[in-house]
Amino acid sequence: MYIIYALLAFSLLIIVHELGHFIMAKVNGIKVEEFAIGMGPKIFSAQGKETRYSIGIFPIGGYVKMLGEEEESQDERSFSSKSPLRRISVIIAGATMNFLFAILIFTLFLNKFGYRVPEVKELSVNSPASQAGLMVGDKFLEVDGIKVKSADDLVVEINMAKNKPLNFLIDRNGEKKELTITPIIKEQNGRETYVIGFAFNTKQNPTLLESFKQSFVETSSVISQTFKGLKMMVTGKANFKTDVGGPVTIIKMSSVAAKNGIWNLMYFTAFISINLAVFNMLPFPALDGGWTLILLIELITRRKVPEKIVGVVNYVGLMALFGLMILVTIKDILFPIKF
C-alpha cells in the first residue's frame, strides 16, 4: 500500500510538471497534440477536442507534444512559429510549476507543524558544541563561510564535514563570534549521522504568512543542497554506491515517508519536486534547460538554430539520459541504499 502512495506522489510531480508546459502552451496559442503521463505502452488514451490524453504503464516520466516542436511548421499555432521568448516561457513552465508546488506544500506543512530555526535551544552535556563554548540562544550565521539560511543548511554541512572541524560564525546577543567545532558520529533511528550536540529552537504555531515566507527559505535551502549534490557527483566526491540513487531509490524513500504519515510523504514530495525542477533546468541536451539554452542563443543571435543540429543534439542527449537512467536503476538493484 505504501508503495502505491509513493507511486501516486511521484506521478503527481510529473502531472504538475507537464501541466506547466500544457498551460503555457495554451496561453501562447500553441496547439497541444498530446498530454501524456508515464512512459511505455498506453494503458489509457482518450481524444479530446484537439489534444489526446494518455497514461503510460511506467510512471517515470511524461511529455506534452506540441505542434511544430520536433519539426518546422508554418502553422501559426505551432511551437516553432512562436518567438524565442514565448517558447522559453513554455519550456521553463514545467520547472516553475514544480517550484510553486513545493512552496505550496512547504507552506501548509510549516503552518501545521511549525519549523526549526538556526538557533540553539539546548546543549547536550559534554558535547563538542558545549565544549567549544556554544551557548543557548546563539544564532548561526555561517558555517565554513557558507551563509546559514535554515536549520537544514546546518545539518547538511555538519554531515558533509563528517569528523572534520567546522568554523561557525554565530550571533550572540548582537555580537558576532567565531567557534571551531568538530562533529562526532551518532546513531539516530538506526542510521549513523554526524552531530555537534545541540537542539534547534522551533517556531511554534506560525501564521500562514510566516509559513509562506519560510517556504521560500526551505526551497532555497533544497536548491542549494541539490547543486551541492550534483557538484559532488561531477567532481567524484560522491560515493556512487551509497550517495547516488535513481527511480527505485526515490520510490523506496517515498514509501518510508508514507509509513510515517501522509504529511511526511507530502514534505518529501516537495523535496523531490525541487530536485526535479533543478535537474530539468540543467543546460543539458533533451532537458528543459538544454532547450532554453538553444532558444537563448536564438534570442541573442536573432538567428534560428538549424533543426538538424537541434535534432542531433537532443537525440544524443536523450540517449545519454536513458543510459544514465538504466545505470542508476541497475545500481539501485545491485547496491540498494539502506533506510
Side-chain angles (χ1 to χ4, degrees), residues 294-312:
I294 291 173
L295 293 172
L296 285 173
I297 292 173
E298 291 187 5
L299 184 64
I300 294 170
T301 62
R302 297 183 181 277
R303 295 179 61 183
K304 193 171 183 62
V305 177
E307 292 293 330
K308 288 185 177 180
I309 294 178
V310 174
V312 171

Side-chain angles (χ1 to χ4, degrees), residues 38-283:
M39 308 296 283
K42 301 289 192 299
I43 58 175
F44 170 82
S45 187
Q47 181 64 48
K49 186 176 181 181
E50 66 174 22
T51 304
R52 175 166 290 279
Y53 300 91
S54 308
I55 298 178
I57 193 170
F58 302 115
I60 57 173
Y63 59 88
V64 170
K65 184 180 179 183
M66 296 172 283
L67 176 66
E69 181 181 6
E70 299 178 352
E71 70 287 324
E72 190 70 31
S73 174
Q74 300 304 316
D75 192 305
E76 64 177 8
R77 294 193 63 202
S78 69
F79 178 78
S80 57
S81 70
K82 302 301 179 181
S83 68
L85 278 177
R86 283 181 176 272
R87 284 182 284 164
I88 288 174
S89 71
V90 174
I91 295 300
I92 68 174
T96 301
M97 282 290 282
N98 281 127
F99 284 128
L100 293 177
F101 182 63
I103 289 171
L104 173 62
I105 294 178
F106 281 152
T107 299
L108 297 176
F109 185 93
L110 300 174
N111 183 248
K112 182 175 180 63
F113 299 103
Y115 51 88
R116 300 182 301 177
V117 294
E119 179 180 325
V120 180
K121 179 181 181 180
E122 59 183 353
L123 292 159
S124 300
V125 179
N126 296 324
S127 66
S130 62
Q131 292 175 357
L134 195 68
M135 298 177 64
V136 172
D138 285 350
K139 299 176 182 178
F140 293 96
L141 302 177
E142 294 180 3
V143 51
D144 270 4
I146 299 172
K147 185 176 180 181
V148 174
K149 299 183 291 291
S150 71
D152 287 342
D153 287 336
L154 208 58
V155 173
V156 169
E157 292 301 325
I158 290 173
N159 275 281
M160 287 179 63
K162 297 186 177 179
N163 56 358
K164 297 179 181 178
L166 284 169
N167 296 314
F168 295 88
L169 178 64
I170 63 170
D171 179 341
R172 181 175 295 167
N173 298 320
E175 182 181 354
K176 293 183 179 179
K177 292 184 175 293
E178 293 185 3
L179 297 174
T180 299
I181 309 174
T182 302
I184 57 174
I185 196 167
K186 182 179 180 181
E187 186 172 312
Q188 291 183 342
N189 300 322
R191 296 189 65 186
E192 291 185 338
T193 185
Y194 287 87
V195 301
I196 61 174
F198 78 98
F200 287 108
N201 209 340
T202 57
K203 174 68 177 179
Q204 301 287 352
N205 302 314
T207 65
L208 192 60
L209 180 58
E210 288 173 331
S211 302
F212 180 65
K213 289 181 178 179
Q214 184 63 22
S215 72
F216 284 90
V217 176
E218 299 291 332
T219 300
S220 174
S221 177
V222 176
I223 292 173
S224 177
Q225 293 170 34
T226 304
F227 276 115
K228 285 178 182 177
L230 290 170
K231 182 180 179 181
M232 289 176 65
M233 289 174 60
V234 172
T235 58
K237 292 182 178 180
N239 187 312
F240 185 71
K241 291 183 180 180
T242 59
D243 297 333
V244 179
V248 175
T249 296
I250 292 175
I251 296 300
K252 285 183 177 179
M253 292 177 71
S254 300
S255 299
V256 172
K259 289 180 181 179
N260 293 319
I262 188 64
W263 279 105
N264 281 282
L265 176 59
M266 291 307 296
Y267 189 92
F268 181 73
T269 301
F271 178 85
I272 296 300
S273 186
I274 296 171
N275 278 260
L276 176 63
V278 171
F279 182 77
N280 259 282
M281 288 311 298
L282 293 176

